[in-house]
Amino acid sequence: MFIDTAKVFVQAGRGGDGAVSFRKEIYVDKGGPDGGNGGRGGDVIFQASKDENTLLSLRYNPELKAGDGARGAKRQAAGKSGKDFFVKVPIGTIVRRMDTDEVLADLTHDGEEAVVARGGDGGFGNAHFKSSVRQTPRTAELGLKGDIFEAQLELRLLADVGLVGFPNAGKSSFLAVVSNAKPEVADYEFTTLVPNLGVATIDERDILIADIPGLIEGAGDGKGLGTAFLRHVKRTKVILHLIDAYSDDVVERYKTIRAELGKFDASLLERPEVVALTKTEGFDKELLGMQTDALKTTTNSPIFAISSQAHMGLKEVLRALAQKVSESIASEAEAALAATETHDPEAIVTITLPEHKRLKGFTVEKKGGMFVVTGVEIEKFAMKTDLENYDSVNRLRDIMKKLGVMTALRRVGAEPDSIVKIAEREFPMQEPPREW
């Protein structure tokens, strides 16, 4: 079964916690800290494979989870990193994060890999915090969570040529005759319900052709087979527009399909194109000439008369397609080269705020009786803090003081017993007196 979309739940591994440990040896009275760091969480990695041609398996197994990192151990032994989770998908798969609509991967080559979700860092063990003034640190960090989100997968076939046209225009017959593909062919509409791929060879040149299921008026709005397969046209370098010569108005049919392509994606109207009138065996030559002349008033694209059944005009069409594909590849190469050599100042992306300042930036906001602190760096420290560990929380307070967070809290009215919230973690601004 051909499935070209799937929704999955992606969860990278959590980092392992750091360990609090001290050397215990017979002849060593006071052993130093030797708690090891936690292991890093595993990544979720997508890999394009030529052996995959559908997203069906991910419909039935939508949870993609990598392994968690192991906890650190004594003798400064680091925890084992979590196992990466590899996901094989067809070439042409796009991975999009659903909550942000960000494209995380666009896999277009066999073997191409992309880390879609990164595992969390492991926490430092107490051996990491030993210094000349802190000989016996009793604090260790917690491991960080890995990326967790839902993703939409979309497969767009990669082909040199995309066949478009009304149902029963002869697309499947054309593909079956000129290539090694075996699409279903019959004399009724919507014979093709899934895209088919075939390789045609002309003058020792191979062309990969995709047969897109038949379009109708309103397809760009989802009618008929709708946009379910229009996405596959976006990957093709050249469009071969097939029109049944027995149509009442070939010009109107041509315009209708062009309108639907433009409605779906305006850039498709700029795609190189070849037009072919099909089923022309035994067709009246004078009428065929009139149809061709009428199409020439609408398009500057080359126009051919072909018959898949009688093998008429097929080589000429394939040669025209091969030429268009070559020109498209050359044009793409020139554009890529020009992009790398551009000196246009508007093409240069600049970051106005230095990275280190952006990370250390934070905001403090009073919400009810709580003070909420947000910021990349301080949130990361908070997530690594074990709130059950007295020394760990005091270390976080020291970091807040160094970053200026404590000063900012006092400016907005925070008192020593005020509750501070950072990265969904709550604790008092100052440690309450211990009860003895």
Side-chain angles (χ1 to χ4, degrees):
M1 181 184 296
F2 181 81
I3 298 294
D4 59 358
T5 61
K7 185 170 74 172
V8 295
F9 174 76
V10 181
Q11 180 175 332
R14 183 190 183 101
D17 297 340
V20 176
S21 174
F22 295 90
R23 290 171 56 197
K24 296 179 180 180
E25 299 178 21
I26 297 177
Y27 301 106
V28 180
D29 184 29
K30 294 182 179 180
D34 70 348
N37 302 334
R40 189 177 183 280
D43 299 329
V44 177
I45 303 171
F46 279 66
Q47 184 182 65
S49 172
K50 59 181 175 55
D51 298 323
E52 301 289 329
N53 54 23
T54 177
L55 299 174
L56 178 63
S57 62
L58 293 174
R59 283 275 188 95
Y60 294 106
N61 300 282
E63 293 192 357
L64 314 177
K65 296 183 179 181
D68 294 336
R71 183 186 180 87
K74 60 184 180 180
R75 298 180 183 176
Q76 297 190 40
K80 186 178 180 181
S81 294
K83 187 176 182 181
D84 293 334
F85 190 92
F86 286 86
V87 186
K88 287 192 174 183
V89 293
I91 298 171
T93 298
I94 294 174
V95 184
R96 189 186 306 275
R97 182 164 175 155
M98 294 185 66
D99 54 353
T100 63
D101 205 37
E102 176 188 2
V103 174
L104 303 175
D106 188 354
L107 305 169
T108 59
H109 301 92
D110 183 42
E112 183 179 0
E113 293 183 355
V115 177
V116 168
R118 296 190 178 277
D121 292 334
F124 287 129
N126 68 331
H128 175 84
F129 301 107
K130 180 181 178 181
S131 67
S132 59
V133 296
R134 184 183 292 177
Q135 296 292 320
T136 57
R138 298 180 179 278
T139 180
E141 291 181 332
L142 301 178
L144 294 178
K145 289 182 179 180
D147 295 331
I148 303 176
F149 53 85
E150 286 188 318
Q152 180 71 37
L153 309 186
E154 181 181 298
L155 172 59
R156 296 180 182 176
L157 296 179
L158 290 166
D160 297 317
V161 177
L163 305 183
V164 300
F166 271 76
N168 206 24
K171 298 186 299 296
S172 296
S173 297
F174 175 83
L175 187 65
V177 171
V178 303
S179 76
N180 55 353
K182 303 297 180 184
E184 182 181 352
V185 179
D187 191 23
Y188 55 85
E189 294 188 347
F190 294 116
T191 303
T192 303
L193 299 178
V194 299
N196 289 298
L197 283 174
V199 178
T201 302
I202 185 68
D203 300 331
E204 300 183 355
R205 165 76 187 275
D206 289 339
I207 308 172
L208 185 59
I209 302 176
D211 172 16
I212 311 301
L215 306 179
I216 63 171
E217 187 171 4
D221 297 320
K223 293 183 179 179
L225 295 178
T227 58
F229 299 112
L230 273 171
R231 68 173 67 94
H232 298 293
V233 185
K234 296 182 69 171
R235 294 284 200 183
T236 60
K237 295 179 175 63
V238 179
I239 292 175
L240 175 56
H241 193 141
L242 299 181
I243 306 172
D244 187 344
Y246 287 89
S247 303
D248 293 336
D249 190 335
V250 294
V251 173
E252 186 60 30
R253 292 239 159 176
Y254 172 79
K255 288 181 177 179
T256 298
I257 295 300
R258 289 273 295 176
E260 297 307 324
L261 293 176
K263 193 182 301 180
F264 177 73
D265 185 341
S267 68
L268 292 176
L269 299 179
E270 305 299 323
R271 201 67 51 89
E273 179 191 62
V274 172
V275 180
L277 291 166
T278 64
K279 307 176 185 179
T280 61
E281 70 278 5
F283 198 81
D284 184 86
K285 290 185 178 180
E286 184 177 352
L287 180 57
L288 187 61
M290 293 172 60
Q291 290 181 332
T292 301
D293 291 340
L295 284 169
K296 286 180 179 178
T297 64
T298 307
T299 177
N300 293 322
S301 301
I303 302 170
F304 296 87
I306 67 171
S307 168
S308 298
Q309 182 177 346
H311 291 214
M312 291 171 43
L314 301 182
K315 288 186 177 180
E316 291 76 10
V317 167
L318 291 176
R319 288 193 177 102
L321 292 172
Q323 178 64 29
K324 291 283 186 181
V325 170
S326 297
E327 291 172 357
S328 177
I329 293 173
S331 178
E332 289 176 359
E334 289 178 4
L337 181 61
T340 60
E341 296 178 347
T342 181
H343 297 288
D344 182 358
E346 294 183 358
I348 300 174
V349 178
T350 59
I351 299 176
T352 57
L353 191 63
E355 182 70 10
H356 68 282
K357 290 185 179 179
R358 191 162 59 85
L359 290 174
K360 292 184 178 180
F362 60 87
T363 61
V364 177
E365 184 180 4
K366 185 177 181 181
K367 292 185 176 180
M370 188 177 297
F371 294 83
V372 180
V373 181
T374 57
V376 175
E377 189 169 40
I378 191 60
E379 287 185 34
K380 186 173 182 179
F381 280 119
M383 287 187 287
K384 286 188 171 185
T385 299
D386 181 0
L387 297 185
E388 302 298 321
N389 185 303
Y390 174 88
D391 295 292
S392 293
V393 179
N394 277 336
R395 172 177 174 261
L396 176 59
R397 293 189 180 101
D398 289 340
I399 292 171
M400 292 166 63
K401 184 176 180 180
K402 291 177 181 178
L403 293 177
V405 177
M406 286 298 195
T407 300
L409 284 168
R410 285 192 289 270
R411 285 178 179 173
V412 296
E415 301 290 340
D417 60 348
S418 295
I419 299 300
V420 178
K421 183 176 182 180
I422 309 176
E424 303 303 320
R425 307 174 75 79
E426 301 175 11
F427 56 94
M429 179 175 167
Q430 184 173 308
E431 185 68 24
R434 288 188 175 185
E435 295 182 2
W436 300 97

